[in-house]
Amino acid sequence: MPRRRPEERNIGYYNEKIETMDRADRAVLQQKAALRSLRYAYEKAPGYRKFLDERGIMPASVGTIDDFPKIPVLKKNRMPERHRENPPFGGFLAVPVESLKRIYVSPGPLYDPEGRKEDYWGLRKCLYNVGFRSGDLVMNTFSHHLTPAGIFLDEACGGIGCVMVPTGVGNTEIQVRTMVELKINGYLGTASFLLSLIRKMGEMGYDPSGNLAIEIALVGGEILVPAHRKDLNDYGVIVRQAYITAELGALAYECPRENGMHLAEDQYVEICDPSTGEPLPNGSVGEVVVTNLANDCYPLVRYGTGDLSAVDDEMCACGRTSRKLRGILGRADEVTKVRGMFVHPRQVDEAVSRFAGEVDAARLVVTREGGADKMTLEVRLKPGVQGTDVLRDSLTERVREATKLRGEVVFVADIPANSRKIEDRRKWE
């Protein structure tokens, strides 16, 4: 497969009319759609109606977008509890279950419905605008079971004419051979995993300078470290990032200018104070709060993602007129993303719940070593309990069962009383 010139990936729009629309006109359309979404969710989703009724909020009191902050933020970290109380979707589904195409299972657990509308997640535009083109041979290393990333990116790439190779996670030697033998030129996954595959090429006797055919990579699931982008650029790989969630689909994506992520037109995004839900001035760091504008199945209104970011209002030289996010700048809560998967504090409790007679306290510490995320469960044992290998192995297995991720277990003398259940010590400079 001949290599494409970088400029071929850096020109054009997926939908020029929408992407270059006058900013004021877009704001008017989005604000009207946000008010319609509020009324639709209240009418069709009984869980959302209950959520507002319990707080004394009637949609009729929200007449303009200036009234929108009256609506309480629906926090993502509370959704697993709501799903358990009223399974399977907490009453937030607005259509019959039998009308869905798929149901995904995200950590929490959270059940994420997918409707039958074409390009349901709005990902085709995202993939095209970061640089993927028809005919690209794309390796998708996101998981294809339970969580949605693998499948919905497969479908979106197929929708713009790419050829998909669904490799999923792990099996690095097989993935390297597949990259080399098929001359794969596109990649979906985390930046750190792509770098580990390139390093593995050298260990297996391949020379990346001659055997690496990847030209374009869309990375997500972790914060993109500038050093990782530079390392991959040095191998000739264009690296762009997107902001995609299991409930909302594509929220934002990088254009060829790589100076922030353009907000999707079918999402109304606010940056809010994580405690009060009040919108913050442009440029301030706060929680990303989203109202989806085109989802008849699962209408989420003022949905607090738990992610921190800030809006950049400067016009982009690429010609797109949308506002941009300045990347993901951290979390507003203890829910932490590790190797592309969310880990919730309640999962830490689940991991140690069977050991009430031995474990006095526990916290999960997340670090970064050699460009990869590492989880360590620190455990303080009760007086008189010995930290045996058998107990360590049992806890290690429970961590994996609860989080679907591998982690180590260490016994410690003390865990401060005011410790967070999950402590993220990663540095992203």
Side-chain angles (χ1 to χ4, degrees), residues 265-290:
E265 290 83 5
D266 56 357
Q267 311 278 2
Y268 180 68
V269 176
E270 304 168 86
I271 301 298
C272 299
D273 184 304
S275 300
T276 67
E278 286 295 316
L280 297 172
N282 283 337
S284 301
V285 175
E287 183 176 13
V288 180
V289 174
V290 183

Side-chain angles (χ1 to χ4, degrees), residues 36 49 88 97 114 175 187 200 222 237 332 343 363 384 406 412:
R36 284 197 302 270
R49 185 184 312 119
V97 173
E114 178 181 351
Q175 298 220 29
Y187 171 88
K200 191 71 175 179
E222 65 184 16
V237 181
V343 180
R363 68 176 171 185
R406 290 187 302 274
V412 297

Side-chain angles (χ1 to χ4, degrees), residues 93-377:
L93 189 68
V95 297
V97 173
E98 57 268 24
S99 70
L100 299 175
K101 183 177 182 179
R102 294 190 182 94
I103 297 173
Y104 301 101
V105 185
S106 293
L110 277 172
Y111 296 108
D112 301 310
E114 178 181 351
R116 295 186 177 275
K117 182 177 69 174
E118 188 174 5
D119 194 25
Y120 177 85
W121 302 100
L123 286 164
R124 293 180 186 176
K125 176 179 65 179
C126 167
L127 289 163
Y128 184 88
N129 285 339
V130 301
F132 287 80
R133 295 293 181 265
S134 178
D136 284 339
L137 193 58
V138 181
M139 182 169 75
N140 184 356
T141 69
F142 283 113
S143 174
H144 285 68
H145 71 281
L146 294 180
T147 56
I151 293 177
F152 67 25
L153 282 166
D154 263 14
E155 290 203 342
C157 275
I160 62 172
C162 298
V163 181
M164 297 308 300
V165 185
T167 57
V169 296
N171 302 307
T172 55
E173 291 192 4
I174 295 174
Q175 298 220 29
V176 168
R177 281 196 295 271
T178 302
M179 286 168 55
V180 173
E181 293 174 3
L182 293 181
K183 294 182 171 55
I184 285 173
N185 67 341
Y187 171 88
L188 301 171
T190 65
S192 57
F193 187 55
L194 179 52
L195 281 168
S196 71
L197 291 176
I198 294 172
R199 296 186 187 109
K200 191 71 175 179
M201 290 179 72
E203 296 174 15
M204 294 174 62
Y206 297 111
D207 180 3
S209 64
N211 294 114
L212 181 66
I214 291 179
E215 304 168 32
I216 180 74
L218 175 65
V219 300
E222 65 184 16
I223 293 175
L224 177 57
V225 182
H228 283 179
R229 194 200 295 263
K230 181 182 183 304
D231 289 344
L232 290 167
N233 288 166
D234 290 344
Y235 284 113
V237 181
I238 298 170
V239 181
R240 308 233 162 94
Q241 58 185 325
Y243 181 23
I244 302 167
T245 77
E247 317 93 311
L248 300 161
L251 291 176
Y253 58 86
E254 275 190 319
C255 71
R257 297 288 173 168
E258 298 177 2
N259 59 355
M261 293 189 287
H262 289 270
L263 288 165
E265 290 83 5
D266 56 357
Q267 311 278 2
Y268 180 68
V269 176
E270 304 168 86
I271 301 298
C272 299
D273 184 304
S275 300
T276 67
E278 286 295 316
L280 297 172
N282 283 337
S284 301
V285 175
E287 183 176 13
V288 180
V289 174
V290 183
T291 300
N292 53 26
L293 306 179
N295 192 323
D296 293 337
C297 292
Y298 199 54
L300 296 174
V301 178
R302 299 206 85 212
Y303 187 70
T305 64
D307 293 317
L308 296 175
S309 189
V311 165
D312 177 4
D313 259 345
E314 291 293 320
M315 286 291 187
C316 186
C318 74
R320 294 175 180 85
T321 53
S322 52
R323 300 185 304 160
K324 292 179 293 184
L325 287 182
R326 284 174 31 205
I328 303 305
L329 307 176
R331 292 287 300 174
D333 53 32
E334 284 194 65
V335 179
T336 304
K337 186 171 279 190
V338 182
R339 298 174 217 148
M341 298 279 285
F342 280 110
V343 180
H344 295 251
R346 68 180 62 85
Q347 290 170 293
V348 180
D349 292 332
E350 286 176 23
V352 301
S353 62
R354 295 181 186 174
F355 305 89
E358 296 91 356
V359 174
D360 196 32
R363 68 176 171 185
L364 193 69
V365 177
V366 184
T367 55
R368 197 162 178 83
E369 296 181 9
D373 293 338
K374 179 181 178 181
M375 289 195 325
T376 303
L377 183 69

Side-chain angles (χ1 to χ4, degrees), residues 355-361 379-387 391 411-413:
F355 305 89
E358 296 91 356
V359 174
D360 196 32
V379 175
R380 184 181 71 209
L381 297 173
K382 290 188 173 181
V385 176
Q386 297 298 312
L391 180 56
F411 300 117
V412 297

Side-chain angles (χ1 to χ4, degrees), residues 81-97:
E81 176 185 334
R82 300 183 192 284
H83 281 205
R84 285 196 302 273
E85 291 172 351
N86 186 13
F89 301 104
F92 291 89
L93 189 68
V95 297
V97 173

